Each structure stands twice: as structure tokens, then as C-alpha cells.
Amino acid sequence: AEKMSPTPPLFSLPEARTRFTKSTREALNIKNIKPLLSTFSQVPGSENEKKCTLDQAFRGVVEEEIINHSSCENVLAIISLAIGGVTEGICTASTPFVLLGDVLDCLPLDQCDTIFTFVEKNVATWKSNTFYSAGKNYLLRMCNDLLRRLSKSQNTVFCGRIQLFLARLFPLSEKSGLNLQSQFNLENVTVFNTNEQESTLGQKHTEDREEGMDVEEGEMGDEEAPTTCSIPIDYNLYRKFWSLQDYFRNPVQCYEKISWKTFLKYSEEVLAVFKSYKLDDTQASRKKMEELKTGGEHVYFAKFLTSEKLMDLQLSDSNFRRHILLQYLILFQYLKGQVKFKSSNYVLTDEQSLWIEDTTKSVYQLLSENPPDGERFSKMVEHILNTEENWNSWKNEGCPSFVKERTSDTKPTRIIRKRTAPEDFLGKGPNKKILMGNEELTRLWNLCPDNMEACKSETREYMPTLEEFFEEAIEQADPENMVENEYKAVNNSNYGWRALRLLARRSPHFFQPTNQQFKSLPEYLENMVIKLAKELPPPSEEIKTGEDEDEEDNDALLKENESPDVRRDKPVTGEQIEVFANKLGERWKILAPYLEMKDSEIRQIECDSEDMKMRAKQLLVAWQDQEGVHATPENLINALNKSGLSDLAESLTNDNETNS
């Protein structure tokens, strides 16, 4: 009989949970995940069964730690083990987030601060591909639950940390973090005294100043006492001032006719108070310096304090004024801006737009006059609000993602030809006529299909030669023809202008420096005509004067009597460079510094060629280009002697004398 293979052991939930709980305790003690990995491989069952069991074991251990009031370090260590378990693939990806939610729900707020610090530090882990998809909703729910437990006025910093964490965690285009429909927080109501009968403002104002201010002066200091009572405040101003907060809370009211009139009236009165009673820059700076010296911290309140007794102090506070003025600018930007979800009825009239424009300028002026650093603060606010327009445009477009996904097809797509291929319009047959799409263009193109030959055609040469153009002037310059000066062509201004252009293009004499001064253009052209007459073949008879014959004889005498020293002063020729480069060879680098060659030029010569003779020739050519007319054999011999190449210097001297 065939032997039956043993059946694999079946999965047992109680047994697996007990073993995983024990392994979790061991891993917690040694701060290492190895016991869990070992148990996971030994426990029978499928992957999903073992993962779910380990998840329950983690939650059970965390529950025991919380009940036993263990330290936050132990709880965070268990969560770290769960993170390692996800990385190793032995528990589900949502386990660390479930554990964090359990811990934050059970612990008091002071310990939640420590746990959330751990969450903040691991933001890079949460954003990784392994955790982000599985945990983003858990983290969002966890943060919102925590925000509900916190007080916005007492736990302001903690609330801000949570908001910053969410901003770092989610991408900018995450829908859950965007106010897509541009809704306002209508729950943010500013409460103030609306009953004039209960108001203490305006009643016994003199007594308040004499009795009440004594206490305040003792608290604030003698220097600030005059500022607090400088602005006359009554209940009417108090009511109008705080009523404006309702328009800042819900700007849509400004589109209603009656509400707009009320807003306009209240705003003009409040801004008039700001303009009439400006703050002292010196006093504000002194107060700031005292705060720095005493180490006093700036206290921030999430809500405005609307007590009547604080009104005079608030209006005298530069930071408070900045808050109010900035609210105006934000409101005006919304009223003027294009918002996608704004109703079609919400349109400003021309009168309203003009008032908002003028008031915006006034608000910026008040901000710049408000100490300290008012001008700088005003420009910074203006820049930020201008940048905010980009954010509004992005939201109006439906918040498209900034991430551009790479296409899966990595092969470059073949570019489709938009223009006709040459073979489609090149002519066929014996004539090979090329069709240009137009009869006249086709005729012109096929006059000469070879473009280069067409360009070289003599019929395209419109510039005359020197012989042709100056033939008449040369004949007139001959004394035997006896042409009077007034009838000569060089006196014609039109002829002179064309002659200058032709000389600039075809004559080397035009750019040669000369010490001779000419009083007029005809005189200059007369001189040039005489020079050209000597060089060009005579049109009829060569013009020669007695002076010219003497000059030629003198030139011949000079050549005959020229000494070797004079010949040394002439620039070296290309033939001399060729001969001497073969002799110089590999010793060119010794000579290079004495020819005033830079290191970069020497390196360039080495890179250009590996042949030593070619390098020597390049060195001499570069020296010739650098020195110009001073590149003489004499200077080259001096450089050779200085570099210690006396044999080459002597050879060059002998060659120079032999050639002469």
C-alpha cells in the first residue's frame, strides 16, 4: 500500500494569537523584530490569517500597556515594531495607524503631545509608497479627532502643529485639504455688547480717567498712559467697529444694497479714526525694546477681546491696527476677484469698485505709516496678496495636479511629416522639371536648377572692377590730356561716394594708415587714382612722371644696398617658419615661454597635434599672429639665445644671411 503524505497542521487562532503576543513581548524587551519574524515563519496557516492575527496581537499588547499606565516610550516602541512588520511583510499596512488612533483616543492631552511628536518625525515614512495609500485616511481622521479635543484658544500651538503636519503629509492638490467651493467659516462669530443701556462708555468719563486709569497706569507704565486716552471713544464707535467683523466673516453681505451702505458708513468712520490718531513710532520702538530686554513673550489670542474697557488700548496697539487693516485688504481682494463658485448676482457696481480702489490705497498708506517698519510690512502684505491671485486662479481651474505623470511608452514616437517629401515634387523624366506649386516660381526655379552655378553666374555680378570704374578718372589724371579740375569725375559727389564704397571692398589702399592729410574728398580720390594708375594695367598708355622714375631708381638702389641687419628686421615668412619648425622639433616647449606664450596656449597646442614638428610650427604661427610686424628673425634669434638654444639661433642666423 502506498504511504499517505502527512496532512499539514491546521491554523488555530487562539494558539497563533498566544504565540504572537509572547513574541511581541520578547521583541519589545530586546527592541528587535527578529522574534516576530521567527514566529511568523513557524506558525501554520495562510499569509492573510497570520497577518490578521499579528495585527490583533499588537492591539492587545498596546491595550495592556495603556491599562497598566506604561510610559509613552513602550507604546511608541510597539508602534515602531508594527512599522518594521509592515516593511518585512508580516502584518497589514494599516496596523501602525490603527495603533496610533487607539493610543491617541485613550491617552490624556499632555501625553498625546509626545505621541504626536513621533508622528511628526516619521512623516517621511508615512509618505512612502508602502504606507501612504493605506494610512492617509487613518491619519486624517486621527488628526481631526485630536483637533476636536483641543481648545483653539488654549492649545493654539498644538493645533498649528497638526495643521502643518497635514500640510506636509498631503500633496497640494489633495481635495480634502482644499476649500473648493470657497465657503466661509460662518461659525466664527465675534460677540460684543449690543445693548447701549448696559454700556459703560461715555458715562462718567472724567471719573474713569481719574480713578480707573491709576490702576492701568501702574500696570502698563507711565509712558503709555497718555496714549490710552488720546482717542475719544463712545459706544457708537465701539458698536460700529465690532460690527465690521460680521462683514469680514461673511463678505457676501457686501453685495446686498442695504448691507453695503452700512458697511460703507462704518468703514469710513473707523478708517477716519485711524487717520486722525496715528501712533508714535518712537513709543512703539521703545516698547518693543523693553519687551526684548525683559524677555517678555508676545501673547497671541485666537479671538478678539471685545471688552469696552480694552477699546482704547486696542486702538493704540499697532499690531491690532494691522489685523484690522489686513482684514480690509483680504475682503477687498475677494470682492474684486473672480471666484468660480461665486453667484452671478454678486457683481460690484462701478461706484463700489471705485470706492474699493480708493480705500485700498488708503489702507496701504495707513499700513505704511503704522510703526514699527510700516513701509516694509505694507510692501510685504501687497506682495503676498498678489501671489494669492495665482492660488485663486488655480482653484478656479479645478485644482489640477502639479505632478506630471511620465508616459509608459519610453520609445520615441515617430514624427509625422507635415511637409511634402522631396521625392514627391522633384521632377521626373528627361527634363526633371521641379514643380514649386506656382507657375511663375516654377519658371524661375527651372531657369537654372543648379543653385551654386546660378549664384556664380556673371550676370549676377553687379559690382564693377577697379579698372572699369576708375578708367575715366585715370585718363583725366594724365597731364597730357589737359582736363581741367572742375570737369574731373572725382569732383562729382555721387561718383566720390560710389568710389569710396568700391575702394573699401576691393582696394588694399583704403585701410592703410597714412600721415598725409587731405582737405577734401576730391583731393583724396585724386591721390588714390594716381596709386591705382601705377598698379593697374594702363587703359591706353601708362601714366609716368619724372618723379615716378626717380622713385623706382631709388627703390632699386635701396634693394641693392640693403644690409643683412636691415633684412633681419623684416617679418619672418611662411617658408622660413616651415624650415625652422623642422629644426626646432621636440624642443618647441623650451622656446614657448620665451615667446610669451601662456600655459593655456601651450596646452592647446599639445591637444591639437601629437606630431612634434607640427607643434613647433603651430607655436611659431601663433607667435607670428601675436607679434605681427614685430615677428622678425632678429626677435626670434634673441628668444632662442635666452632659452639656451644657441645652436638653433646660430643656424637661423646663417640661414637668414644665406637667403639674403
Side-chain angles (χ1 to χ4, degrees):
E2 295 181 0
K3 293 183 178 179
M4 299 292 293
S5 58
T7 58
L10 297 175
F11 173 76
S12 172
L13 177 62
E15 181 185 352
R17 184 171 181 177
T18 304
R19 294 181 63 179
F20 277 132
T21 302
K22 183 179 179 182
S23 299
T24 303
R25 289 289 182 188
E26 293 177 9
L28 181 61
N29 292 331
I30 63 174
K31 300 293 190 293
N32 196 306
I33 201 174
K34 286 183 179 180
L36 284 171
L37 294 173
S38 176
T39 305
F40 191 86
S41 61
Q42 295 173 5
V43 171
S46 65
E47 291 284 326
N48 288 335
E49 290 174 337
K50 291 190 284 187
K51 282 184 178 181
C52 293
T53 308
L54 181 56
D55 295 344
Q56 293 182 12
F58 274 130
R59 296 191 72 178
V61 174
V62 167
E63 181 184 355
E64 292 176 9
E65 293 292 325
I66 294 173
I67 293 173
N68 296 332
H69 301 287
S70 299
S71 63
C72 292
E73 285 74 15
N74 281 354
V75 176
L76 294 177
I78 298 171
I79 297 173
S80 298
L81 289 174
I83 294 173
V86 175
T87 307
E88 296 291 340
I90 61 175
C91 64
T92 56
S94 60
T95 304
F97 307 105
V98 173
L99 297 179
L100 282 170
D102 292 345
V103 171
L104 290 174
D105 286 342
C106 298
L107 292 180
L109 288 177
D110 56 342
Q111 293 184 8
C112 287
D113 195 331
T114 306
I115 302 297
F116 193 76
T117 302
F118 172 82
V119 176
E120 287 177 310
K121 289 180 179 178
N122 286 277
V123 66
T125 304
W126 314 138
K127 292 176 72 172
S128 63
N129 295 332
T130 308
F131 293 93
Y132 183 74
S133 299
K136 63 177 184 178
N137 291 332
Y138 284 98
L139 287 172
L140 181 60
R141 192 182 306 114
M142 177 186 74
C143 290
N144 286 332
D145 291 343
L146 195 55
L147 283 171
R148 291 189 192 96
R149 295 174 59 192
L150 295 172
S151 168
K152 292 182 179 179
S153 57
Q154 296 181 7
N155 306 109
T156 310
V157 176
F158 198 174
C159 292
R161 285 171 56 196
I162 295 173
Q163 298 288 0
L164 286 174
F165 166 75
L166 291 173
R168 290 170 60 196
L169 176 67
F170 291 104
L172 199 59
S173 55
E174 173 65 31
K175 303 297 182 183
S176 61
L178 298 171
N179 183 11
L180 291 174
Q181 297 184 358
S182 301
Q183 296 176 344
F184 300 102
N185 181 17
L186 301 179
E187 297 178 1
N188 183 23
V189 179
T190 302
V191 180
F192 61 97
N193 181 20
T194 55
N195 188 352
E196 187 175 1
Q197 303 299 325
E198 299 177 0
S199 173
T200 58
L201 289 171
Q203 299 177 7
K204 299 180 181 180
H205 187 63
T206 308
E207 294 180 7
D208 290 343
R209 288 178 57 185
E210 293 176 356
E211 299 176 5
M213 289 303 295
D214 293 340
V215 179
E216 293 180 2
E217 286 174 4
E219 294 175 355
M220 295 181 300
D222 297 336
E223 294 179 356
E224 295 187 13
T227 309
T228 57
C229 58
S230 60
I231 303 175
I233 300 171
D234 56 7
Y235 177 77
N236 196 25
L237 175 63
Y238 168 83
R239 179 179 58 83
K240 292 176 180 178
F241 182 86
W242 290 116
S243 296
L244 287 172
Q245 292 299 318
D246 195 52
Y247 294 93
F248 298 144
R249 176 183 67 93
N250 186 16
V252 176
Q253 298 178 78
C254 294
Y255 292 106
E256 299 172 4
K257 190 173 181 179
I258 299 175
S259 298
W260 171 257
K261 287 184 178 179
T262 307
F263 171 74
L264 190 68
K265 181 182 177 183
Y266 290 1
S267 296
E268 287 178 347
E269 290 190 24
V270 170
L271 293 176
V273 171
F274 283 1
K275 290 178 184 177
S276 303
Y277 300 94
K278 296 179 180 178
L279 301 181
D280 184 10
D281 192 9
T282 308
Q283 181 180 350
S285 301
R286 190 185 301 119
K287 180 181 178 182
K288 189 174 182 181
M289 290 299 296
E290 288 178 357
E291 287 180 357
L292 292 173
K293 288 179 182 177
T294 56
E297 295 181 358
H298 176 67
V299 179
Y300 171 75
F301 294 99
K303 296 283 289 180
F304 286 123
L305 302 176
T306 58
S307 171
E308 296 176 352
K309 296 180 181 179
L310 296 174
M311 189 71 186
D312 53 352
L313 295 173
Q314 289 170 328
L315 294 180
S316 303
D317 184 10
S318 61
N319 282 332
F320 182 81
R321 285 198 181 193
R322 281 178 175 172
H323 281 297
I324 303 301
L325 294 173
L326 188 55
Q327 283 181 305
Y328 269 110
L329 294 176
I330 295 172
L331 171 65
F332 292 160
Q333 186 180 48
Y334 172 78
L335 294 177
K336 293 187 298 181
Q338 299 294 328
V339 181
K340 183 178 180 180
F341 291 94
K342 191 187 290 187
S343 174
S344 58
N345 299 327
Y346 295 158
V347 180
L348 294 173
T349 63
D350 294 340
E351 185 181 354
Q352 289 174 324
S353 300
L354 185 61
W355 183 87
I356 288 175
E357 187 176 346
D358 294 339
T359 310
T360 301
K361 294 178 182 177
S362 302
V363 170
Y364 276 120
Q365 181 64 28
L366 288 171
L367 278 174
S368 61
E369 295 173 355
N370 193 47
D373 296 331
E375 190 72 29
R376 182 183 172 194
F377 182 82
S378 175
K379 290 180 179 178
M380 182 173 62
V381 167
E382 187 175 7
H383 173 72
I384 292 172
L385 290 178
N386 288 335
T387 309
E388 194 73 10
E389 291 294 340
N390 299 327
W391 174 267
N392 292 337
S393 302
W394 178 67
K395 289 183 68 176
N396 289 338
E397 293 169 5
C399 305
S401 176
F402 292 104
V403 180
K404 294 183 179 179
E405 296 182 0
R406 185 178 296 176
T407 55
S408 56
D409 186 12
T410 55
K411 294 182 180 179
T413 55
R414 186 180 178 183
I415 301 173
I416 301 173
R417 282 184 178 176
K418 293 184 179 179
R419 301 177 67 178
T420 313
E423 56 269 17
D424 296 335
F425 63 81
L426 284 177
K428 298 177 182 179
N431 295 329
K432 292 189 177 180
K433 191 175 182 179
I434 298 174
L435 302 176
M436 300 300 295
N438 180 285
E439 290 184 6
E440 187 62 20
L441 285 176
T442 302
R443 183 187 69 80
L444 290 172
W445 184 271
N446 289 279
L447 286 175
C448 184
D450 191 338
N451 288 337
M452 292 304 297
E453 288 299 323
C455 292
K456 294 176 183 178
S457 174
E458 294 181 359
T459 58
R460 294 181 58 83
E461 184 62 53
Y462 303 111
M463 186 183 297
T465 62
L466 290 172
E467 294 93 330
E468 294 172 354
F469 187 82
F470 286 102
E471 182 179 1
E472 181 185 359
I474 291 172
E475 289 179 358
Q476 294 174 351
D478 190 347
E480 294 180 359
N481 293 330
M482 294 185 295
V483 179
E484 295 181 11
N485 284 336
E486 59 180 328
Y487 298 110
K488 288 183 177 180
V490 293
N491 291 320
N492 187 333
S493 58
N494 186 24
Y495 180 88
W497 178 77
R498 286 162 44 196
L500 286 176
R501 288 174 59 86
L502 184 63
L503 288 169
R505 295 290 298 272
R506 299 212 164 169
S507 174
H509 298 294
F510 185 79
F511 295 104
Q512 283 184 351
T514 177
N515 295 326
Q516 190 175 357
Q517 295 183 352
F518 301 100
K519 294 181 180 179
S520 62
L521 177 60
E523 185 182 347
Y524 169 76
L525 289 176
E526 187 81 27
N527 181 269
M528 294 298 293
V529 166
I530 294 172
K531 287 184 179 180
L532 290 171
K534 296 176 185 178
E535 297 175 354
L536 301 175
S540 56
E541 188 178 341
E542 187 175 0
I543 302 172
K544 248 187 182 181
T545 62
E547 293 177 1
D548 297 334
E549 293 176 358
D550 293 341
E551 285 180 6
E552 288 182 1
D553 295 339
N554 291 337
D555 290 343
L557 282 171
L558 282 171
K559 287 182 180 178
E560 290 176 4
N561 299 327
E562 193 177 57
S563 65
D565 293 334
V566 174
R567 293 191 187 99
R568 281 187 183 180
D569 293 336
K570 289 186 176 180
V572 293
T573 63
E575 185 180 352
Q576 288 175 316
I577 287 176
E578 189 76 33
V579 173
F580 185 68
N582 293 333
K583 295 181 180 180
L584 182 60
E586 60 185 9
R587 290 189 283 178
W588 70 273
K589 205 169 182 180
I590 301 173
L591 177 61
Y594 296 93
L595 294 181
E596 298 183 0
M597 289 290 152
K598 299 177 181 177
D599 292 340
S600 59
E601 294 173 330
I602 295 173
R603 287 195 296 270
Q604 185 63 39
I605 291 173
E606 288 178 329
C607 294
D608 289 344
S609 176
E610 295 182 358
D611 184 33
M612 291 299 173
K613 292 181 180 179
M614 181 57 69
R615 289 180 179 179
K617 183 178 178 181
Q618 286 181 330
L619 170 68
L620 295 173
V621 171
W623 169 71
Q624 185 185 34
D625 293 341
Q626 179 177 297
E627 297 296 325
V629 295
H630 299 291
T632 60
E634 181 68 27
N635 291 336
L636 183 56
I637 291 169
N638 292 336
L640 287 167
N641 287 325
K642 289 179 182 178
S643 63
L645 303 175
S646 304
D647 55 330
L648 290 175
E650 186 177 350
S651 173
L652 181 60
T653 305
N654 295 335
D655 291 344
N656 196 40
E657 291 175 355
T658 302
N659 293 333
S660 62

